[in-house]
Amino acid sequence: MQAGWRIGSLFGIPLFVDSSWFVIVLLFTVANRQDYSQWGPNLSWIAGLAIALLLFASVLLHELGHSLVAQSQGIRVNSITLFLFGGVASIDQESKTPGQAFQVAIAGPLVSFSLFFILNLIVQFLPTSSLIYSLIQELARINLVLGIFNLIPGLPLDGGQVLKAIIWKLTRDRFTGVRWAAKTGQFLGILAISLGLSAVLFAKSYGGLWIALIGWFVLQNAGSYNRLTDLQEALVKIKAVDTMTREFRVVDADLTLRQFADEYLIGVDVVPVYFAASNGRYRGLVSVEALRIIERSQWDIQKLHQIIQPLNELITVSEKASLVEVINAMEEKELRRITVLSPAGAVAGMIDRGDVVRSVANYLKVPISEASIRSIKEEGIYPPGLPLVTLAKTMISSYRNPPES
């Protein structure tokens, strides 16, 4: 569910404000009213509030720049939210090429710089002693600072997205681009925290707290980009053949239902997956559920091949399929497990959700107990106490199409 309050929409994009936005608007109003005290107490408060609201209107236009370019690439924009540190556009998926990613990233700063030039042009026609002149001149300066600040080359800032696109283009690897931009963001975040706290401790400048807070925000988000990229890389690079297990059994398709039940089902606590084969070829998946609804008087007459689900009707993936494709297929069809086929069309293995979790955890060197894996396998659900998988499920829904190099 989207946090905050919905205030409308633009170009089909829902607009939200976070509760922290009201705090920063109040602080900006109080801080800016002093600059307009010459126009009296009432007008100074109005001017302070106006410049705070116009600041966030500029932020909104900045985010709208990113969003409209993303929409032009066929990417869905879920929302734009205004909050303590400005604004954020929730874009459904990554651009498919570095060139397109660059376009989305640079669009926001270009909007800010355009507003700066337009507002500077407008003030040329206003009397310099008027309140509206001061407001527009200040708004122009804010947009210039907004554009320059966002071009700092570190994630999550736009400059970090630009850097990511450039490195992606040079290395032909999106993950390398994200990692370099994220590391730069982490360095800049630590630097901002250090400078901000130093200003407070040694210069008694409490404005340094704001710099430190921004640095903390950058540091946290850059780290999140790194972790998400690790997960994305795992899901793209791990293949079905690396994840599958051979936890299935092959039985003769010409067995009667009675023979199958007596030999393979009686005394079994957990029924494994059975595939029926004849003449050296796989025929299909044995439906144990179908067996249960057939009259027992027919068990000596009917054979397994009469209740199998043919192989060509199963949801399957190839051995070379990425884990993204595997999970998408399982999520879309709500499958507990999926069949993996070899290039020759034979059953090569099975993948269930426990196998997915184990494979990703091993790739990322994240410790996970066999008890958790077993719980996922038996229940067919993801445990709420496993943040890695919660993140994976969230990411999968917005990562349907891996970007191209």
Side-chain angles (χ1 to χ4, degrees):
M1 183 179 293
Q2 172 70 49
W5 291 271
R6 179 165 178 168
I7 58 173
S9 65
L10 282 173
F11 301 98
I13 304 169
L15 307 178
F16 292 85
V17 291
D18 184 76
S19 55
S20 62
W21 179 81
F22 295 99
V23 175
I24 199 64
V25 166
L26 177 61
L27 291 176
F28 264 77
T29 300
V30 173
N32 283 295
R33 65 172 289 272
Q34 301 296 330
D35 297 332
Y36 306 100
S37 57
Q38 67 189 84
W39 281 281
N42 292 333
L43 278 180
S44 67
W45 278 106
I46 292 172
L49 176 61
I51 202 66
L53 294 176
L54 288 169
L55 161 64
F56 281 96
S58 298
V59 170
L60 177 60
L61 291 174
H62 179 105
E63 296 302 328
L64 198 59
H66 295 305
S67 301
L68 293 180
V69 173
Q71 282 187 334
S72 72
Q73 296 175 9
I75 300 172
R76 178 184 174 188
V77 180
N78 297 316
S79 64
I80 295 175
T81 303
L82 299 178
F83 70 116
L84 179 67
F85 295 105
V88 61
S90 174
I91 296 176
D92 199 49
Q93 65 184 47
E94 175 70 79
S95 296
K96 291 184 172 60
T97 67
Q100 290 180 331
F102 178 86
Q103 292 167 11
V104 173
I106 201 66
L110 287 180
V111 168
S112 297
F113 290 135
S114 298
L115 287 172
F116 166 73
F117 287 114
I118 291 170
L119 293 170
N120 262 325
L121 184 62
I122 291 173
V123 296
Q124 303 304 316
F125 301 96
L126 298 173
T128 56
S129 59
S130 66
L131 176 59
I132 190 69
Y133 174 90
S134 297
L135 287 173
I136 293 178
Q137 189 177 52
E138 176 64 13
L139 186 61
R141 186 188 68 82
I142 286 172
N143 275 279
L144 178 62
V145 172
L146 185 64
I148 293 173
F149 174 77
N150 271 281
L151 283 179
I152 294 174
L155 288 172
L157 300 174
D158 297 337
Q161 298 287 356
V162 169
L163 178 62
K164 177 198 75 176
I166 292 172
I167 296 175
W168 178 6
K169 179 69 174 178
L170 294 175
T171 63
R172 295 186 171 275
D173 183 27
R174 189 183 72 89
F175 301 120
T176 300
V178 176
R179 286 203 174 89
W180 274 98
K183 286 177 182 177
T184 305
Q186 288 175 312
F187 170 76
L188 293 172
I190 292 171
L191 182 63
I193 292 171
S194 302
L195 291 175
L197 293 179
S198 297
V200 174
L201 294 174
F202 301 111
K204 305 300 181 185
S205 173
Y206 293 100
L209 287 174
W210 182 247
I211 296 174
L213 193 60
I214 292 175
W216 174 84
F217 171 77
V218 170
L219 180 62
Q220 292 298 309
N221 279 272
S224 296
Y225 269 101
N226 246 340
R227 290 188 293 273
L228 181 59
T229 300
D230 288 341
L231 180 58
Q232 288 180 335
E233 184 176 44
L235 293 168
V236 170
K237 291 191 174 181
I238 297 174
K239 304 303 179 185
V241 68
D242 305 318
T243 306
M244 69 183 190
T245 62
R246 294 190 61 84
E247 295 179 359
F248 65 92
R249 299 188 67 178
V250 182
V251 297
D252 188 349
D254 292 322
L255 288 176
T256 65
L257 302 188
R258 177 74 64 189
Q259 289 173 317
F260 173 70
D262 290 345
E263 188 173 345
Y264 294 100
L265 300 184
I266 293 177
V268 176
D269 293 327
V270 179
V271 178
V273 177
Y274 291 102
F275 284 93
S278 63
N279 299 324
R281 293 184 60 189
Y282 285 93
R283 300 301 177 182
L285 178 68
V286 177
S287 174
V288 178
E289 290 75 15
L291 176 65
R292 292 188 179 121
I293 63 174
I294 294 175
E295 289 289 338
R296 297 219 171 192
S297 60
Q298 297 294 311
W299 281 21
D300 291 314
I301 302 171
Q302 292 193 32
K303 295 187 177 182
L304 277 184
H305 65 73
Q306 293 176 275
I307 65 167
I308 64 171
Q309 186 177 1
L311 212 55
N312 60 3
E313 294 181 7
L314 295 178
I315 304 299
T316 62
V317 293
S318 71
E319 289 181 327
K320 293 183 179 180
S322 69
L323 214 49
V324 167
E325 297 171 272
V326 171
I327 298 177
N328 282 342
M330 293 176 70
E331 292 292 318
E332 288 170 7
K333 301 299 180 179
E334 299 182 354
L335 303 175
R336 291 184 61 170
R337 61 180 64 89
I338 194 166
T339 305
V340 182
L341 298 183
S342 70
V347 177
M350 300 291 296
I351 296 175
D352 62 24
R353 296 181 176 190
D355 299 323
V356 170
V357 173
R358 179 191 287 114
S359 186
V360 174
N362 288 341
Y363 187 93
L364 298 179
K365 297 180 174 58
V366 175
I368 181 172
S369 68
E370 280 303 313
S372 294
I373 297 293
R374 189 163 56 251
S375 173
I376 299 169
K377 284 177 173 290
E378 292 173 358
E379 301 297 330
I381 59 174
Y382 298 112
L386 196 60
L388 172 67
V389 182
T390 303
L391 179 59
K393 287 188 70 181
T394 302
M395 192 280 298
I396 285 295
S397 65
S398 61
Y399 199 66
R400 297 294 181 188
N401 302 306
E404 302 166 358
S405 296

